[in-house]
Amino acid sequence: MTTPFFATRRSQVRRATTAALLAGGLALAAAPALARTSVADESTPIAELMPLLIKHDAQLGLNDAQRQALEQFRKEAMPRRIALTKRIRDLRGELRLAILEGAPAARRDELRQQLVQAEQEHLQARERCVDFVRSTLSPEQFARVRQWYIDGIQ
């Protein structure tokens, strides 16, 4: 026989469960907006200006020397950046499996250290890119690119 206490408790649990499911659904629906700079299994760039330079080339009024310098930098930096992001994805996958499979702590520590090193290299590469762009563009051009970037991540 169900007493009023248990009936009330069951009803409270149902309401709480429904609320949690709704909240979870709302959180999932909002996730893309909240994490728009996130990319699964890839380091989210601290600063990523090259796509903006390509997209807004005409608006920036880049001269030939600037275009050539930026193109040369991209040609040299892109293969390394792609390799680094692939390494980061691979290390994250390996670490994920090591954690889930209960690999020895020493192996997990090794993977974590490798991941930290790869992330650091990636951050430094992004920083070098921003420094190069800053030195290649006029202060006014750089200010515009900087603002476009900030507007895009907010």
Side-chain angles (χ1 to χ4, degrees):
M1 179 170 149
T2 304
T3 63
F5 171 78
F6 290 115
T8 301
R9 183 70 183 138
R10 213 175 303 139
S11 177
Q12 289 171 336
V13 168
R14 271 193 227 116
R15 281 195 300 270
T17 301
T18 301
L21 288 171
L22 285 172
L26 292 174
L28 286 175
L34 296 174
R36 67 180 150 179
T37 60
S38 295
V39 178
D41 284 339
E42 185 170 301
S43 173
T44 302
I46 296 297
E48 186 176 37
L49 302 182
M50 284 298 176
L52 291 170
L53 291 169
I54 294 167
K55 180 179 179 181
H56 298 289
D57 177 298
Q59 288 176 274
L60 286 170
L62 298 175
N63 62 41
D64 289 339
Q66 288 173 318
R67 276 191 195 91
Q68 281 182 319
L70 292 167
E71 181 62 28
Q72 185 62 36
F73 184 87
R74 276 194 302 270
K75 283 181 182 176
E76 292 172 7
M78 188 172 285
R80 175 132 174 87
R81 184 191 61 76
I82 290 170
L84 268 172
T85 55
K86 181 185 180 320
R87 175 104 173 109
I88 289 167
R89 276 192 310 272
D90 291 349
L91 284 167
R92 285 178 181 229
E94 286 182 57
L95 180 57
R96 179 183 303 110
L97 286 176
I99 291 168
L100 292 172
E101 292 174 357
R107 176 66 180 146
R108 288 180 280 162
D109 287 345
E110 176 188 342
L111 288 168
R112 253 191 310 278
Q113 288 305 312
Q114 290 176 20
L115 179 58
V116 166
Q117 180 62 38
E119 291 275 6
Q120 185 173 6
E121 289 175 30
H122 188 237
L123 289 168
Q124 290 167 340
R126 294 290 186 177
E127 194 172 352
R128 281 190 303 274
C129 179
V130 172
D131 290 343
F132 179 80
V133 169
R134 182 183 290 111
S135 70
T136 303
L137 301 182
S138 71
E140 295 80 17
Q141 289 170 321
F142 184 78
R144 290 178 77 187
V145 171
R146 180 184 174 278
Q147 192 59 54
W148 287 328
Y149 183 75
I150 290 170
D151 290 347
I153 61 173
Q154 292 178 343

